[in-house]
Structure formats: structure tokens, C-alpha cells
Amino acid sequence: MTETAAADAAAAKPSEPVEGSADVIVVGAGPAGATTAYHLARAGLDVLLLEKSSFPREKVCGDGLTPRAVKQLVEMGIDVSEGAGWLHNKGLRIIGGGVRLELDWPDLASFPDYGLVRKRADFDELLARQAEKAGARLYERANVSGPLLDDRTGRITGVTAKLGEEKRPVVFTAPLVIAADGNSTRLSLAMGLHRREDRPMGVAYRTYFTSPRHDDDYLESWLELWDRRHGQATLMPGYGWIFGMGDGTSNVGLGLLNTTSSFGEIDYRELLKSWCANMPAEWGYTPENMTEPIRGAALPMAFNRQPHYTRGMLLVGDAGGMVNPFNGEGIAYAMESGKIAAEVVVQAHARVTEAGRERALQAYPRVLKDVYGGYYTLGRAFVKLIGNPKVMRLATERGLTHPMLMRFVLKLLANLTDPQGGDAMDRIINGLAKVAPNA
């Protein structure tokens, strides 16, 4: 433990026994936390990675990874070959308005030209173990209950937790804490950081079916989800997905945005069942083939919790509302924000004065906004547009008949462009994101 860590631990005077001290504590060992811990440990920092559950554990997700996430996995040294259990995919199949369109992932210098599929229970543990291999100290069944604060400065100096099956009260101390504890992020709430109501929120519900479509080499997105209550059919702002898992099952789910007036009234489980009931019988998406219950989760989008740094705590992934509002993708941005946070912390750690360290840490929100701010602003405008059923219907009926337009849309929605050079589509998307406000 560094002198700074020791001093902060002493100032906090925890009432519970100190279980461990480090340079940095990362709360949550999902993709955001594990990636952050990996890069911190690789840089030589002493890192505690605290996970409230034990691996393997379930998470609600589509299990599909775009090339953005693949890039982060490769940078972490993860073997993403098919021989290592990954199902590769070529791109996205879009279905809607009577049109079926297959779009390959773009051929770019900045990102691989393939996506992946893997169950989250397995995926998250792979990342956490990789962080362990890099030197991070992983504590499973470490349920963080709140921040430990310095009475003099109000800065976070560690966390309180219940450890193990016996839920033994303990304290972990460090001068910096990374909140990677997901959408619920109890740690952020305890530090006074609440969700912004002016940012979009989504929900996702999914289940698994045994199916002959399990080895599909495209991710499949259905753009027409109809709410048929009240004697009328309303096109919902969202999409359904079918992702083959390569193991005899398909992940089938739906994602919806809160831009419709009926958002809080919809029975999403029934909506998913109704959608599946209209699928071809030979696909097997029937109740008797369901292998797991229907589960749901919130999708916090477009920086819906800020600031991303305050009083010794940084937010990464869902805790900071990093989900892409265009397509609901969260894993890539969880991993990317984790890497960005680690880079900032490593630079701050090398400063020789407290003021210098604080200046470096305060740059973190600015870096995030430089990277994502303009793009997320475009995404918020997109969310408002498709919240109008007439706009959603027009986009579905007209847009899908123009393959060139849809290739542009794929690049925009998946945020897959080359930042330098690239083709005309890349330059348009990058230009729009650059001029949009970094809010």
C-alpha cells in the first residue's frame, strides 16, 4: 500500500476490521470493473476487485458483442477464437417492413470485422479471471454496502462490505474507488449521485430457447415490436433480437425505450411471449423449449449519471450511464470507459503532489465527453424521433428498402467508423458527432 493509501485509511478510522488496502478499489466485477482492474493491475497498481456475487453468475444481456467489444477483448489478451468457445458472427440481419437485409460489419482499420456471442455467466468470469492474472486481487461475495468517507474532506477512502456467506462486516480502504456496480450503483447513490431524468432509459428482457437456429452467423434484429393492447396496434420504440448461442440455444429478447407514454404500463414478459408466438414453429421459440425464465434489466443511457468523477470516486460502465442510446449496447462502452478510467488513474497516481493528482482525476469527465459526448447527444435526438410511432413506422417501411442507407445506419447505430480518414460515411458520422454538444 502506498503512503497516500495508508494516510487516507488512517484518516477514515473505520469501525469495522480492515480486510484489505490498496491503491484502488474497483466495486463490481462485470465487464466495466474487470476491464478497469485489468488495466490498472497491468500498469503496476495494487487493485482490489470486489464482486457481490460469486462466479459463474447470471446477468441479463443479449450476449451479442459488436466489433467495438471485440477490440477491447483483444487488448486484454483474451483468446476470442472459435476453439476457445466463442461464436463468431459476420454482421447484423435486420428484419422489418417486409424486408430482410443482411449487413456485414464494416471493414475498418480501427475495429475487427467480426462480432462475437458468449453467455454473460461465462463472459464476465473470463474477464474477472484475466484481471486476476494481471495482478488484481479479486474478492467474490464481497457485497459493498456503502462508502467510507473522510470526516475532514468528505472524500471516499474505501468501502464497507459484507464478506462471504456469513456476511461478515469488513472495510476495504484505498485513496481511489471505481464504481462499476451497474445501473443500481448503490455506491454512487450513497455519494449523492442520482440519475438524470432528462436522459433516455431503456429496458431489456430476454430468455433462451433450444433451437435449430443456434449457430446463426448473423446477429438478428427485428425492428417491429407491436403493442396490441386496447384494441389497436402501436409500433414500439425498440427492437427484438435473436442471437444464436452456438450451444443448441438462441437468446431471444427485446429492448424498449422510455420515449413512449405507455413505457411504465407494458408487461414486457407478455410482449416477449406474444412476439415469440408469431415466429415460425420450426424455430422452436415455444414455451416448452424455454430453458430459462424471462428476465429483465434497465439500460442506463447517454451519461445519465454525472459527474463521472467526484471526491475520489470514478464511475464506469452502467454506473455512469454509458449505454449507447442508438442500439442499447453496453458491454463495449463498459470496457472502453474502464480502460479510459484506468489510464486517468495511472497518470494521477504518478503525480507527486495531491493537487497534481486531483487535477489529473478531474480530467476524467472531460475525456469521456470528448470521446462520447457528441455521439450520445445525437443518440438522444434519435431516441426522441423514434419515440414517435409515425416516425418509427416511416423509418421501418422506407429505410430498409435502401441498402446503402442501411449500411450508413449500421455504422451510425453501432458507432463503427475510422476516426482518421475512412470513407464518406465515416466522415459524415464523425463530423456530426464532433459538432454536436458534448452534454
Side-chain angles (χ1 to χ4, degrees), residues 212-267:
R213 300 195 62 201
H214 71 96
D215 58 352
D216 196 345
D217 55 3
Y218 281 84
L219 301 179
E220 189 166 284
S221 178
W222 291 57
L223 300 188
E224 291 179 292
L225 287 175
W226 295 93
D227 179 12
R228 302 184 186 277
R229 298 174 304 154
H230 313 305
Q232 61 183 12
T234 302
L235 187 59
M236 304 300 292
Y239 65 95
W241 70 74
I242 300 173
F243 298 164
M245 300 303 300
D247 63 356
T249 67
S250 294
N251 180 318
V252 182
L254 55 83
L256 289 170
L257 294 159
N258 65 348
T259 51
T260 175
S261 58
S262 59
F263 178 77
E265 304 171 6
I266 299 170
D267 186 331

Side-chain angles (χ1 to χ4, degrees), residues 13-83:
K13 297 178 182 177
S15 58
E16 304 294 350
V18 177
E19 181 71 21
S21 297
D23 296 318
V24 187
I25 292 170
V26 180
V27 179
T35 304
T36 309
Y38 170 83
H39 289 291
L40 288 170
R42 285 271 294 177
L45 273 66
D46 185 14
V47 185
L48 290 172
L49 179 58
L50 310 181
E51 167 59 37
K52 67 179 180 181
S53 304
S54 60
F55 292 109
R57 52 105 170 98
E58 184 62 271
K59 286 288 182 181
V60 175
C61 186
D63 300 326
L65 305 171
T66 72
R68 288 194 77 95
V70 178
K71 179 178 181 178
Q72 293 302 311
L73 289 167
V74 172
E75 289 190 2
M76 286 182 65
I78 301 287
D79 180 0
V80 295
S81 67
E82 293 180 340

Side-chain angles (χ1 to χ4, degrees), residues 30-33 35-36 72 316-318 322-323 329-340 372 376:
T35 304
T36 309
Q72 293 302 311
V316 296
D318 285 8
M322 308 281 183
V323 174
E329 181 181 13
I331 289 177
Y333 300 92
M335 297 180 72
E336 288 177 4
S337 63
K339 183 184 178 187
I340 292 169
Y372 301 125
Y376 283 174

Side-chain angles (χ1 to χ4, degrees), residues 68-375:
R68 288 194 77 95
V70 178
K71 179 178 181 178
Q72 293 302 311
L73 289 167
V74 172
E75 289 190 2
M76 286 182 65
I78 301 287
D79 180 0
V80 295
S81 67
E82 293 180 340
W86 299 85
L87 181 65
H88 286 219
N89 57 72
K90 300 176 182 178
L92 183 66
R93 182 184 303 115
I94 300 175
I95 296 173
V99 177
R100 181 180 185 272
L101 188 62
E102 289 184 348
L103 300 169
D104 288 353
W105 298 119
D107 186 10
L108 302 170
S110 302
F111 299 99
D113 62 352
Y114 61 93
L116 299 168
V117 173
R118 189 145 188 161
K119 271 196 169 185
R120 281 292 299 273
D122 189 17
F123 176 82
D124 286 16
E125 183 169 14
L126 276 173
L127 268 59
R129 301 303 177 202
Q130 195 74 351
E132 267 193 309
K133 291 176 186 176
R137 290 182 282 151
L138 173 63
Y139 281 76
E140 298 177 59
R141 294 188 179 276
N143 192 354
V144 171
S145 50
L148 186 67
L149 301 177
D150 188 308
D151 292 336
R152 295 177 291 106
T153 64
R155 289 179 66 89
I156 192 168
T157 58
V159 296
T160 58
K162 301 293 180 60
L163 189 60
E165 293 186 7
E166 67 277 15
K167 298 181 180 180
R168 177 168 55 91
V170 297
V171 163
F172 296 92
T173 62
L176 287 175
V177 175
I178 311 288
D181 49 346
N183 174 60
S184 59
T185 187
R186 288 190 297 169
L187 190 60
S188 301
L189 291 172
M191 292 285 287
L193 302 182
H194 297 278
R195 183 168 71 87
R196 290 183 58 161
E197 298 296 334
D198 63 340
R199 299 300 160 101
M201 176 68 76
V203 295
Y205 279 77
R206 66 96 178 99
T207 187
Y208 296 90
F209 297 94
T210 55
S211 172
R213 300 195 62 201
H214 71 96
D215 58 352
D216 196 345
D217 55 3
Y218 281 84
L219 301 179
E220 189 166 284
S221 178
W222 291 57
L223 300 188
E224 291 179 292
L225 287 175
W226 295 93
D227 179 12
R228 302 184 186 277
R229 298 174 304 154
H230 313 305
Q232 61 183 12
T234 302
L235 187 59
M236 304 300 292
Y239 65 95
W241 70 74
I242 300 173
F243 298 164
M245 300 303 300
D247 63 356
T249 67
S250 294
N251 180 318
V252 182
L254 55 83
L256 289 170
L257 294 159
N258 65 348
T259 51
T260 175
S261 58
S262 59
F263 178 77
E265 304 171 6
I266 299 170
D267 186 331
Y268 298 101
R269 289 178 174 82
E270 289 303 317
L271 182 61
L272 179 56
K273 290 177 183 177
S274 173
W275 180 53
C276 290
N278 289 310
M279 298 289 182
E282 61 269 21
W283 291 0
Y285 303 143
T286 55
E288 62 268 20
N289 291 331
M290 190 181 297
T291 63
E292 293 189 19
I294 297 174
R295 294 188 174 95
L299 302 176
M301 297 175 168
F303 293 157
N304 81 333
R305 185 171 280 105
Q306 298 182 38
H308 291 110
Y309 170 73
T310 182
R311 294 181 290 149
M313 184 180 73
L314 297 86
L315 310 184
V316 296
D318 285 8
M322 308 281 183
V323 174
N324 182 348
F326 279 107
N327 66 357
E329 181 181 13
I331 289 177
Y333 300 92
M335 297 180 72
E336 288 177 4
S337 63
K339 183 184 178 187
I340 292 169
E343 290 171 349
V344 169
V345 169
V346 167
Q347 290 299 321
H349 185 75
R351 303 291 176 91
V352 296
T353 66
E354 184 176 337
R357 287 190 290 272
E358 189 64 15
R359 267 194 302 275
L361 293 167
Q362 288 176 355
Y364 176 60
R366 295 196 299 272
V367 174
L368 286 179
K369 288 187 176 182
D370 286 346
V371 175
Y372 301 125
Y375 178 76

